[in-house]
Amino acid sequence: RMPASLPEADRRHRASAAFSLSFLSLVFSITAFGSSYWCEGTRKVAKPFCTGESKGDLCIRFNSPDTNSSQAVQYIWETGDDKFVERKFHAGIWYSCEEMINEDGEKCRSFISLTPASDRGVLWLSIVAELLYVILLLTGNILMSVEMCYYSSVIDGLKINAFSAVVTVLAGLLGMVAHMMYTTVFQMTVNLGPEDWRPHTWDYGWSYCLAWASFACCMAAAVTTINKYTKTMLEFKHKRKKLERSFRIKYKFSDC
């Protein structure tokens, strides 16, 4: 009994590992897809003129005490880089947000509207690929959970296992293509996007890392699923050969 139960327990462990990796990939992909921290950085923005009681380093000061007088000659103290202030921004697939000067909160714009017209089609392809990636991951999770909980025979389990392996591999390929297309579109937007948006410095954010972590988990789940399918098939063939061998031996003895 013990040797017979070991392969079954091993299959259960592999199925659980594949399901856990696939579920983690799904959670990561949905979180990354809905967030706006794929890329983060700063923009150099000209300081506004100081008005009223506003003072400090975030606005341009005048030397004239009567700033409303048209007769007064106004000299700006700030020169060169002192005329600018760095404003943080973050962008994702759907929108881009940047902090406001002298005010709390952020101002957000649609990232699609910022993308150059020539690259907008690639961005839409990236969005469609990301959506398909999430849908295929969800399908793979459902198949893996059905395999773990409801199949009644090894053959049924193998069929479900084969489908979930194919779906997970396709999801991983789509996810990789989608992430790479978005990377290309963002870099083109940095170079050719609107002047009032182009960043001074930028780098990839936590959402971008999470998207690639999702891809890594997806491929790990696919490898685990394929490995489980291959091992089950080899065990099945080995048992079949043993059964055929035992039938041959019985047949020979019956002839004698």
Side-chain angles (χ1 to χ4, degrees):
R1 285 183 183 179
M2 285 297 291
S5 64
L6 283 174
E8 181 64 26
D10 184 57
R11 280 195 292 272
R12 292 281 181 185
H13 288 316
R14 286 173 188 272
S16 299
F19 176 77
S20 300
L21 287 166
S22 184
F23 183 75
L24 201 62
S25 177
L26 179 64
V27 172
F28 285 173
S29 65
I30 292 173
T31 305
F33 189 58
S35 68
S36 62
Y37 286 86
W38 285 63
C39 299
E40 300 176 78
T42 58
R43 288 187 58 239
K44 265 192 174 183
V45 181
K47 293 178 182 177
F49 293 122
C50 293
T51 56
E53 297 181 356
S54 59
K55 296 179 181 179
D57 297 329
L58 298 179
C59 63
I60 297 176
R61 300 183 299 276
F62 299 99
N63 72 327
S64 172
D66 185 9
T67 56
N68 294 322
S69 173
S70 59
Q71 303 287 325
V73 179
Q74 298 172 347
Y75 294 98
I76 299 173
W77 288 105
E78 283 79 1
T79 59
D81 285 342
D82 290 334
K83 290 182 182 179
F84 299 94
V85 62
E86 287 194 344
R87 189 158 60 174
K88 292 180 181 178
F89 86 98
H90 55 90
I93 291 176
W94 298 107
Y95 50 91
S96 173
C97 298
E98 56 189 52
E99 63 181 357
M100 301 176 71
I101 302 174
N102 294 325
E103 292 182 38
D104 294 330
E106 295 179 326
K107 180 179 72 174
C108 295
R109 289 183 280 181
S110 168
F111 184 72
I112 298 168
S113 66
L114 298 170
T115 308
S118 58
D119 297 306
R120 216 159 280 169
V122 181
L123 179 61
W124 278 113
L125 281 174
S126 173
I127 291 172
V128 171
E130 286 284 354
L131 283 170
L132 288 173
Y133 174 54
V134 172
I135 291 168
L136 287 173
L137 278 175
L138 181 61
T139 306
N141 271 268
I142 292 169
L143 287 170
M144 288 176 190
S145 61
V146 168
E147 181 194 355
M148 286 171 59
C149 303
Y150 298 110
Y151 80 87
S152 57
S153 67
V154 176
I155 301 298
D156 292 339
L158 278 172
K159 289 177 182 177
I160 297 172
N161 192 238
F163 281 124
S164 59
V166 170
V167 167
T168 310
V169 169
L170 284 175
L173 292 174
L174 271 172
M176 180 182 67
V177 170
H179 303 343
M180 291 174 70
M181 282 194 294
Y182 177 79
T183 305
T184 304
V185 169
F186 185 83
Q187 290 174 352
M188 292 300 293
T189 307
V190 167
N191 295 324
L192 303 173
E195 288 285 348
D196 66 340
W197 177 84
R198 292 183 196 176
H200 177 61
T201 60
W202 66 276
D203 203 352
Y204 296 110
W206 63 265
S207 296
Y208 187 80
C209 297
L210 202 65
W212 282 108
S214 170
F215 167 74
C217 289
C218 176
M219 296 313 295
V223 169
T224 306
T225 307
I226 292 168
N227 182 265
K228 176 178 174 291
Y229 176 83
T230 307
K231 191 168 183 181
T232 306
M233 283 294 294
L234 289 173
E235 287 173 359
F236 191 71
K237 287 179 180 179
H238 180 66
K239 287 179 181 178
R240 188 176 177 181
K241 284 180 181 178
K242 282 179 70 176
L243 195 62
E244 287 175 354
R245 196 179 297 122
S246 65
F247 275 135
R248 282 199 216 102
I249 293 169
K250 284 182 182 179
Y251 183 72
K252 285 180 181 178
F253 275 113
S254 62
D255 285 347
C256 295

